[in-house]
Amino acid sequence: MDSVKFCAEERAQHAKKYFQEGYNCAQSVALAYADITSLDEEMVAKITASFGGGMGRLREVCGAVSGMAFLAGFISPCPTADNAVAKKANYALVQDFAEKFREQNGAIVCRTLLGLDRPKDEPTPSARTAEYYKKRPCADLVYDAALIVGKYLANGKRKTESGKL
């Protein structure tokens, strides 16, 4: 854990850069902290790929929030089905992350954040053009989510059963 640098601002900038490179919101947040998982970056990107666009462009929970929830599983793990204490701690962290995001952005639902009135989009992702980035707040939402995780980690609130990330 000593080798992991927890600079919240730097991680948030990395998350935004991942998004601007074409990764979805969940992937971008998760990849900014891939080193705290036991997974390589390719695996992190694979696992979180389905959570973009509010879960497969269903426009439900924002992918950036899903990325935070993914990371919460490593920060406050619950690796067994019968550990109610660990499960409660994990859920509390997910709720804390989501509430902080909601306080900053007004919602955690993708379609609400984007001002969409339809429940889902076609599965084809939008082309990442200059116009796309002008009208979408996603890069900033990714930044906010990664910053929330980074501040949590920087404050030393890491909580795991083994004492390690």
Side-chain angles (χ1 to χ4, degrees), residues 23 27 31 34 37 39-49:
Y23 288 98
Q27 289 173 313
L31 284 168
T37 72
L39 308 169
D40 63 40
E41 288 187 3
E42 181 180 359
M43 186 59 70
V44 169
K46 285 179 181 180
I47 292 169
T48 55

Side-chain angles (χ1 to χ4, degrees), residues 1-2 11 21 36 39 45 51 61 73 78 80 85 99-100 108 111 116 122 124 128 138 143 146 158 160-161 163:
M1 187 157 50
D2 294 331
R11 299 289 184 131
E21 290 174 0
I36 72 166
L39 308 169
F51 298 100
V61 174
C78 181
T80 61
V85 173
E99 189 53 38
K100 282 179 173 47
I108 65 167
R111 72 176 156 270
L116 302 174
E122 293 300 316
T124 305
R128 298 289 182 89
C138 303
Y143 179 92
R158 296 179 291 278
T160 66
E161 290 181 3

Side-chain angles (χ1 to χ4, degrees), residues 123-142:
T124 305
S126 300
R128 298 289 182 89
T129 63
E131 186 60 32
Y132 172 91
Y133 289 112
K134 279 184 195 175
K135 68 180 182 179
R136 292 286 173 99
C138 303
D140 292 330
L141 298 173
V142 162

Side-chain angles (χ1 to χ4, degrees), residues 57-162:
R57 290 178 54 93
L58 290 171
R59 302 303 184 196
E60 296 296 336
V61 174
C62 171
V65 175
S66 294
M68 290 191 298
F70 168 80
L71 292 168
F74 292 92
I75 298 166
S76 182
C78 181
T80 61
D82 61 347
N83 190 334
V85 173
K87 194 176 288 190
K88 179 181 178 182
N90 174 267
Y91 290 172
L93 181 57
V94 170
Q95 289 181 10
D96 182 54
F97 283 169
E99 189 53 38
K100 282 179 173 47
F101 187 91
R102 182 179 307 168
E103 287 170 7
Q104 290 179 322
N105 297 291
I108 65 167
V109 175
C110 177
R111 72 176 156 270
T112 303
L113 292 163
L114 296 181
L116 302 174
D117 57 3
R118 61 188 177 278
K120 70 175 187 172
D121 277 334
E122 293 300 316
T124 305
S126 300
R128 298 289 182 89
T129 63
E131 186 60 32
Y132 172 91
Y133 289 112
K134 279 184 195 175
K135 68 180 182 179
R136 292 286 173 99
C138 303
D140 292 330
L141 298 173
V142 162
Y143 179 92
D144 290 348
L147 191 61
I148 289 166
V149 173
K151 286 180 177 180
Y152 180 87
L153 293 171
N155 287 330
K157 295 181 181 177
R158 296 179 291 278
K159 189 174 187 178
T160 66
E161 290 181 3
S162 66

